[in-house]
Amino acid sequence: LSFFLPWLDASVGRGGGGRLGPMGLEGCFDTTLPLCPRTVTLGFDAASVVPLTVNSRRGGRPNRISTVRFPSPVVLTWLPKSLFAQFMRAANRYFLFVSCLVFMPFSPTAWSSTALPFAGVLLWSALKDLYEDMRRRRDDAAENLRTCMRYDEISRKFVEIRWEQVLCGDVLLAKQDQVFPADVLIVASESGRAFISTAALDGESNLKERRPPAPCGIALDQEGEHTAGEADSTLTRRRPSANRSIAEAIAGIIYAKGFCAAFDEPKVGFDDMGGKVSFKGVKASEVVSDALYAEHFAPRGCVLRNTAWLVAVVAYVGDESKSRLNVAVLKAKFSNLQVYLNRCILALVGALSLFCFYAASMAAALGDGGRIEDFFVRFFQYWIILYQIVPISLYVCFEVVKLLLGLQINLDKEMMDPLTRQHAVARTADLVEEMGQVHHIFSDKTGTITQNEMRFAMCSIDDTDLGDFRPPDLSTIDIGKLGVTATADPEGVMQARRIMTDPSHPLHEETRRFFMCLAACHSAQVDIGEDGEPLYSGSSPDEVAFLDAARAVGTVFRAQRLIPRDGSAAVQMTIETPTPDGQKTLTIVAQIPFTSDRKRMSVICEIDGELMCITKGADSVMQSLCDSSLTEKSMKRIDDYAKLGLRTLVVAWKEVPREFLPVWKLKLEAAKGGNADDRPERLAAVAMQLEHDLRLTGISAIEDRLQDGVPLAMATLKAMGIRIWVLTGDKVETAVEIARSCQLLTEGMVIVRATNATSVAQAKEQLREALTTAQVFAGKACTVSGDEATVAFVLDGGTMKYVTDDEESQELLFQLGLASKVCVCCRLAPQQKRRLVELVRERDKSRITLAIGDGANDVPMIQGAHVGIGVRGKEGNQSVQASDVALSQFRFLVPLLLCHGRRAYRRVAVFLCYYVYKHVVLAVGDMCWAHQSKFAGQIAYPEWVASCYAGLFTSLPVIVVLTSDRDLPDNIVMRHPELYAAGQHRMHFNLRIFSVWMLSGVWHGCLSWLVPNLVIGADSPGVSPNFNKDWWIGSIVSFSLVLVCVDFRLWLVALNKLSPWTLLGLLSSPVLYLITLIVFGHTYLGEVMQPQIAGVPLAVLQDGKAMAALFLAPLALAVDALIYMLILRIRPSPLDEVRRTFKPSRVSPPLGGRTYAGGDEAEA
C-alpha cells in the first residue's frame, strides 16, 4: 500500500528541530539533545540549571515554539522541502518517471503536454504547503510574543518578558485568568493552593486543584510572609487583585533560602511529573516528604482560575512541556475503498506493463529491426502513450469529493444539538464512505447513551431503603387529588431529615454518619453563589450528586481551606449538620484518589478528635474490603438497585489508630515520589494497608438518564443489520437494565452469559456453552453473519481478562459476537475496550468497526476502530480530539450512518469505478490504433487535448453530479433501515462490479475509435509539416465520441437524471471541450502547441462522414440503456424498490439540503 499512502513530513513529530541562529533550522520539535532530568538551584549568590544544555537550546530561547515546516530563509527551503515531501509518494514518482521519459528523443508526444500539467500539480501543492506554513508561522509568533512576569534577582522585582524568553529555573508570577507559559512548579499562592483549568489540554471543564510542596510552605511560613491558610476556597473572601509586593517578597525568600529542585526527565503523561525539592534553610526533619508529583505542577497552556496570584518556578520549557510532548502524530486511517482502489490501480499498472511488453514484442516481430534497444524504445513509447490509465487527477478529485461529502455532514441541520447549537463535525473526510459499511458498533454507556447528569436516586442504610430522593414527575401527577404542592420534597429526603433530627430513631447515628461521609469523601470544589447557597463542581458528576443529596437532607459542605499540619498540608472542611451540634469542622489529612483500576476513593479525616478512614467504591471491590457488615441482604439490595438501572456505590468507614497515621503517611509520600512507571502499583499497595476491615455505613444509588431518542436509535441500528456492543464499567445488572430501557435488549431475546470466570478454562467453558446456546436459538451455525439471531451476550471484565490470554477463547468470543445481535460488556477497563475492537478487526478484516464514546477512557477504543465517533459530553473533549467525527447526541449516529454514510459509500464507489473507467475508454483508442499502425508507437489523439481530458473535461462533471446526487429524503430512509445493507455487502464496489465497469470501458473505447476510423478511412496521421488532415478529423471525432460515451455513462448512473445540478455538471463537459477545440484549432496558441489539428474542428463540421459518425455512433449506446433497464426490472436493488413507491420533487440542493430529487438506481 506504500504506493499511494500519504507521506508524513519528517519535520513533524519529535524530529526535525534545531537551534535558532544565523544559519540554524527551525523545526516542529527541538531534538538536538535528548530529554533529560535537570536540577534547578536558586540563590542570590549563585543560581544554576544543570545540565546547561537545557537553557542553551534554540539559541538560548528554549521556550520558543516553532511548528513551521520550512525554516528560514523560506525562499531557499520552501520549494526543495515541499517537492521532496511530494516525491515521497510513489504515485508522484510514477508521474515524474513518465515526465522524464517524454524528454527522450523517442517520445511520441511533446514534453510540454505531459511535464507541464504535472509541474502544475506539484506547484499547486507546493503553494498550498507554503500558505499553510505561513499560517503556522503567524500562530507561532502569536504564541511566542505573549507576555508574562519574571522575577529579576538584581532589581528584585517582577518584570515583563515574552514567552519565548522564559528559561528553566525562572521564577514567574501568574495572575488570575492568565495562561502558564511553561510547565511550572507551584511554590506559593494566595491561599496556599490554586485552581487551574486544563480545558485547553484535555477539554475537561472542571477545575483541578494544585498546591505547593510541603518544603515550600515550611520555608515561607518561617519568614511569616506566606498567606497559606488565611483565606478559604470560596470566592466571597478572595482578594480583589494580586499583591505584587507579597509575591516579590516570596520570590526573595525562595532565593534567600537556597531553593533546590531536582526534576525528573519530561514525560508525556499529564500526571507523570516528579522530582524532589529542598531548601538550604529548612531542616529535613521538619518535612514529611520532599517528593514532587503532579499536584504540585501546572502545565503550559493551563489557565489560573479562582486564585488571585501564584508564584512558580519553571521546570520544563518549550518542546519539553506537556502540551508539546502530547502533540502526537496519530496513525493514519484509510478506508477499505482506498485500499481496494490501490489494488485495482496496481492491477491496471500491471496490465499496462503487459500491453507495453506485448506492443514492443509485436513491433519487433513485424518491424525490420530486431535490436534490443528498439524493443525498449517501443516499450517506453507505449508507456508514455498509455500512462494516463493511472490518471494524475484521480487522487486530487478523490479528496475533493470526500471534502464535499464531509461538508454535507457539517452543514446538516438535523444533526445540530438544539441546546448548544453545535453541528456534527467531520474532523476527517477520509472515512466518510466507511460509515456506510459498518458491521459492529462499540459504544460506551455513561455520557454516550446516557446524559451523564447524575441524580441521587436511592440509598440503603443498615439494609433499610429510605425511599426515592428524586423529585416526582409532576406532569404525570394530579397534584390536587394527592394534596401535595409542586415544591414538596421527595420521599427519601423527608425520611432522611426525620431520622437525622430524631436522636431516638434506631437509624439516627448511621444515617448521620452516611451523609457526613458523602460530604467529606470527595475531591469537589465549593463556591458560594449570589444567594448564599453553595455551588459544587468536580471532575465526577457522581460527587456533585452526592453533595447535593447531602445538602438536601441538611448536611451541607460549606467551605474548605488548606492548613499546615505536621510538616505537610491538610484540608479543613466546614460542614453544617441538621443535628444540635450544628456546624462541624473536620480535617482531611490524607486522600487516595479514585482510579479506574482501584475503583474506589479513600480519605483519612479527623473529626471530633477521632481519625476515620472513609472509603466509597464499587461493590465488586468493596465486598472484599468490608467486614461482616456487608451481608447477603446488603448485596441483594445492591442487585435490586442495579435492576432498576441505577449505579451503586458502597460507602464504608473505620477508625484509624493515631499511631498508625505517621508511619503510613511516610509510606504514602514515598509511593507518590518514586519512579513514575510503577507508581500506581505502589500507591495501591500502600492503600491496601489502610483499606481493610471496613464497616458498611450505606449503599448509594445514582440515576443516569438516557439521552433523548436513544431507544429509537438503538432499534434502527439493529434493523440496519449492525451488531451493537455496549462497553461499560458498570456492574452486570445495571448494564443489562440500561440495555433493556434503551431497547437494546427486547422481549423474547435470549441472554447468554460469560461472567465471573476465575480461570482460562472456566472462561473457555462458559464461552462454549454460550455459543452453543446462541447458535441453537439463532437457527444456524453463525460463522459468517447470524442476521437472524435473537441472542444477546453478556460479558464481564473479569472473564475478558482470561479471554485475552487464550487464542481459542478469542475465537469463541468472536463467533459468539457474530451469533448475537447485541453484546453487553461490563466492568471493562479502557484497554479492554480497545482489545475487543481489535479482536473483531483481527479476526475478520472485512468487517468495519465503529467506536463511539465521550470520555478520555474511550480514546483507546475510538483510535482502535475503523471509524471513531466522539460525543461532546461532560468528561472533556479528549474523545472528540481523537475522533474522526464529533457528534453532540448518540441519536445523531443514525442519520450519520444511514443517510450520510450510506450515500457516501455509493457515491465514492461509483466515483472510483467511473474515474478509472473513463481513462480506460481513452486508452482503448490508443490500443486499437497501435494494432492498426502495426505498433509504430504513434498517438491516437492530440496530446494537449488528451491532457485536458482528465482535469478539464471529465473531472468537474463527476464531482458535481455525484456529490449532489440524492436518492431519498431522510424521513423515507429512516423508515427503511434495510437499505444500509448495500454497504455491508459491498454491493457498489467489488471485483464483479469493477470488472463490468472495465468491460464497459473497453466497449465504449472500441466504439469511439473504430466507427470514425472505419467511416473516414485515413490510415496515417502524417508528419510535420505535412499532417494528414483526414486522419486528424477522425481522431477529433473519436475523441468527441469518447466524451459522449463517458458523459452518457455518468448520466446513466446518476439517480437524479433531470436535476439542475446533474444537467449543469454534464453540460460543463462539452462546453469546455468546444472552447478547447477552438483555442487549439483556430488560434495562434493552437498552432504552436497543437499544430496537427489546425483548422480541424471547423473541418469536422464540414465533413459529412465525420458528422454522420459523430451523430450515429452514439445510437449504439442504446445497448447500455437497454441492459440497464433490464437489470432494474429483473434484479432490482432494495433501493430501486423503495424509490418506485416514492414520488420525489425535482429540487436537489447540492449541500446540506433536506429535499431530494428522484431518478433511477444505476448499477454496473
Side-chain angles (χ1 to χ4, degrees), residues 954-1033:
T954 58
S955 292
L956 182 61
V958 67
I959 292 174
V960 172
V961 171
L962 290 183
T963 55
S964 65
D965 214 19
R966 312 278 179 152
D967 45 24
L968 293 165
D970 286 357
N971 60 337
I972 301 298
V973 173
M974 292 295 191
R975 302 174 197 168
H976 298 277
E978 70 276 4
L979 297 177
Y980 193 77
Q984 294 171 326
H985 297 121
R986 311 290 195 271
M987 291 177 59
H988 298 292
F989 195 95
N990 52 54
L991 181 59
R992 180 182 65 84
I993 295 295
F994 189 78
S995 300
V996 171
W997 274 94
M998 296 305 101
L999 290 175
S1000 178
V1002 173
W1003 150 239
H1004 290 160
C1006 292
L1007 174 68
S1008 301
W1009 176 261
L1010 294 178
V1011 171
N1013 189 269
L1014 295 175
V1015 170
I1016 297 174
D1019 58 359
S1020 173
V1023 294
S1024 179
N1026 300 315
F1027 297 112
N1028 188 339
K1029 192 170 186 178
D1030 290 340
W1031 191 93
W1032 287 106
I1033 289 175

Side-chain angles (χ1 to χ4, degrees), residues 592-665:
I592 308 175
F594 175 90
T595 66
S596 57
D597 294 325
R598 283 173 25 86
K599 298 180 180 178
R600 61 189 182 274
M601 172 187 180
S602 294
V603 298
I604 297 180
C605 67
E606 184 178 33
I607 180 172
D608 296 336
E610 297 182 354
L611 288 176
M612 291 176 52
C613 169
I614 304 174
T615 303
K616 63 180 181 184
D619 62 278
S620 58
V621 296
M622 293 295 289
Q623 190 171 7
S624 61
L625 303 181
C626 289
D627 58 15
S628 57
S629 59
L630 189 59
T631 62
E632 292 185 4
K633 190 174 181 181
S634 302
M635 296 304 298
K636 184 179 183 302
R637 179 71 68 184
I638 293 174
D639 291 339
D640 291 340
Y641 285 156
K643 290 175 181 178
L644 296 175
L646 304 178
R647 301 175 57 180
T648 57
L649 279 181
V650 174
V651 182
W653 70 285
K654 76 171 187 179
E655 294 183 0
V656 178
R658 192 166 291 276
E659 62 274 11
F660 169 83
L661 181 61
V663 178
W664 181 83
K665 282 194 68 176

Side-chain angles (χ1 to χ4, degrees), residues 109 132 298 454 539 583 739 817 916 944 1024:
T109 64
E132 293 175 350
M454 306 301 177
S539 57
Q583 183 170 288
V916 177
W944 273 106
S1024 179

Side-chain angles (χ1 to χ4, degrees), residues 291-332:
L292 301 175
Y293 30 91
E295 71 176 40
H296 300 140
F297 291 87
R300 175 186 178 123
C302 296
V303 183
L304 183 65
R305 301 291 192 195
N306 295 0
T307 308
W309 56 267
L310 176 149
V311 177
V313 175
V314 176
Y316 307 107
V317 292
D319 295 330
E320 296 180 333
S321 60
K322 294 295 182 185
S323 59
R324 299 297 297 160
L325 291 174
N326 279 272
V327 179
V329 179
L330 298 178
K331 184 178 178 181

Side-chain angles (χ1 to χ4, degrees), residues 103 208 266 290 338 378 482 578 589 645 811 820 854 878 895 1157:
F103 283 93
K208 295 179 176 60
D290 59 358
Q338 185 162 344
R378 194 68 76 224
L482 294 178
V589 297
E811 180 62 25
S820 308
D854 75 311
Q878 299 99 316

Side-chain angles (χ1 to χ4, degrees), residues 678-721:
D678 60 346
R679 184 179 297 159
E681 291 77 10
R682 294 197 312 274
L683 286 173
V686 173
M688 285 299 296
Q689 299 177 20
L690 174 71
E691 299 167 338
H692 60 84
D693 297 327
L694 300 172
R695 179 181 174 183
L696 175 69
T697 185
I699 299 165
S700 67
I702 295 286
E703 177 194 30
D704 188 7
R705 291 177 290 179
L706 290 176
Q707 293 181 11
D708 295 337
V710 167
L712 179 58
M714 288 293 188
T716 306
L717 291 171
K718 289 193 296 180
M720 290 162 59

Side-chain angles (χ1 to χ4, degrees), residues 596-597 797 827-834 857:
S596 57
D597 294 325
R827 300 295 195 193
L828 294 183
Q831 289 304 323
Q832 286 181 314
K833 294 181 178 182
R834 175 162 185 158
N857 61 333

